Amino acid sequence: MTLSERIAHVDDWLLDRLFQPVADRLPGRLTALQLGLSCQLGALMLDGLSLVLPMLLFGASLANMIDSALIWCISLAFFLGMKRSAPLVRPGMLNPLRPLLRAMRLLSLAFLVYQLFRGMGAPGFIWLLTQMTTISQLLFTVGLYLVACQPRPPYQRMSTRSGPIIEGVWRAGGRINS
């Protein structure tokens, strides 16, 4: 087994054994896609806060923070792209975002590990900023994995009398044999 196959196996294991059971146990009205996009939006807001705090508290200029500002803009563009691709995920169908986002999931895991090690040795107030960035990266990674989960199949509605209700514009209101 090559290194790339092992990495793909770890990604599949995380998705199938850790995140898919969580997605299957979500309340009926909340889908894994909605929760994943909410996690990504929260990560975007937290990362924006960790970008603005040095400007407000220490007087850092945008020129000093331009790399972080550009990364935040790329994250915003990625979030907007994910929001636009959300209609592709339909109940009862395979999730097309699962194979498409594999590289992004693996990169986000690598950056999460990097951010954890980076934040360990930071002094004073910088430690707080790096921890906010670490939590932001964690939320982003969790959001990516939740977005890639398979949606639950649609619930089949049953009538109280006999069997399944067939939706349509019939005179009997969709009931069979009425």
Side-chain angles (χ1 to χ4, degrees), residues 36-97:
L37 288 175
S38 294
C39 285
Q40 288 183 348
L41 181 62
L44 194 63
M45 294 300 121
L46 197 57
D47 202 23
L49 180 65
S50 69
L51 175 68
V52 171
L53 276 179
M55 290 182 210
L56 294 176
L57 297 176
F58 299 124
S61 67
L62 185 61
N64 295 340
M65 307 290 291
I66 194 70
D67 57 340
S68 299
L70 289 174
I71 290 171
W72 188 84
C73 289
I74 290 171
S75 298
L76 176 65
F78 181 78
F79 171 73
L80 293 175
M82 288 300 300
K83 194 100 164 119
R84 287 195 66 160
S85 64
L88 294 174
V89 180
R90 294 180 298 217
M93 306 287 287
L94 290 176
N95 189 347
L97 299 179

Side-chain angles (χ1 to χ4, degrees), residues 46-175:
L46 197 57
D47 202 23
L49 180 65
S50 69
L51 175 68
V52 171
L53 276 179
M55 290 182 210
L56 294 176
L57 297 176
F58 299 124
S61 67
L62 185 61
N64 295 340
M65 307 290 291
I66 194 70
D67 57 340
S68 299
L70 289 174
I71 290 171
W72 188 84
C73 289
I74 290 171
S75 298
L76 176 65
F78 181 78
F79 171 73
L80 293 175
M82 288 300 300
K83 194 100 164 119
R84 287 195 66 160
S85 64
L88 294 174
V89 180
R90 294 180 298 217
M93 306 287 287
L94 290 176
N95 189 347
L97 299 179
R98 182 178 173 142
L100 290 176
L101 294 176
R102 174 172 284 191
M104 193 66 185
R105 289 191 308 267
L106 294 172
L107 281 174
S108 70
L109 278 175
F111 279 119
L112 177 62
V113 170
Y114 167 72
Q115 190 64 35
L116 283 169
F117 284 123
R118 181 177 167 225
M120 283 184 188
F125 184 73
I126 304 300
W127 181 83
L128 179 65
L129 292 175
T130 57
Q131 295 309 312
M132 286 174 54
T133 308
T134 302
I135 293 170
S136 169
Q137 185 65 35
L138 178 67
L139 276 174
F140 183 78
T141 305
V142 167
L144 274 177
Y145 274 95
L146 286 173
V147 163
C149 287
Q150 295 295 339
R152 284 179 294 217
Y155 291 111
Q156 184 177 6
R157 292 179 18 189
M158 300 293 283
S159 75
T160 55
R161 271 197 257 153
S162 59
I165 295 176
I166 299 174
E167 298 292 334
V169 288
W170 294 287
R171 294 174 61 155
R175 290 182 197 83

Side-chain angles (χ1 to χ4, degrees), residues 8-39:
H9 184 67
V10 167
D11 179 57
D12 288 338
W13 183 86
L14 280 172
L15 196 53
D16 292 334
R17 302 282 184 211
L18 186 66
F19 287 98
Q20 189 65 47
V22 170
D24 291 340
R25 286 173 179 78
L26 288 174
R29 308 236 5 144
L30 181 66
T31 64
L33 179 70
Q34 292 169 339
L35 185 61
L37 288 175
S38 294
C39 285

